[in-house]
Amino acid sequence: MAKRGKSRDTLVWTVVSGLVLVGIGLYLRDRGLLRLPEPKPVAPAERARDLLKKYPEAEVFSGPEADKKKGTPP
């Protein structure tokens, strides 16, 4: 058999260590021992305003504006 190089062994151990750490993190999260910050949900009206600012030429079918024509950012 061919002898493996030291760099290949290091890569293997790095990948194995990373997978073990991810597994431990997922286990702790599932058991409730690890609390990760959760993103805050964005209100639909705020999301519609943000999209209108990003795409001013888009038609608005629902959202904070009352008219259903092309909108302008408030």
Side-chain angles (χ1 to χ4, degrees):
M1 294 180 129
K3 186 176 179 182
R4 288 186 294 184
K6 183 176 171 85
S7 63
R8 186 171 176 189
D9 288 342
T10 304
L11 175 65
V12 169
W13 282 110
T14 303
V15 170
V16 168
S17 301
L19 290 174
V20 168
L21 289 175
V22 167
I24 291 171
L26 290 174
Y27 175 79
L28 292 175
R29 185 193 67 180
D30 290 344
R31 296 289 176 211
L33 301 173
L34 179 64
R35 303 254 183 218
L36 298 175
E38 296 181 11
K40 295 179 183 175
V42 178
E46 186 178 338
R47 174 92 173 125
R49 279 193 298 272
D50 292 343
L51 287 174
L52 190 58
K53 288 177 187 175
K54 188 173 182 179
Y55 305 105
E57 296 299 319
E59 291 186 41
V60 177
F61 293 104
S62 65
E65 287 74 31
D67 62 339
K68 305 266 183 193
K69 300 176 183 175
K70 290 187 178 183
T72 57

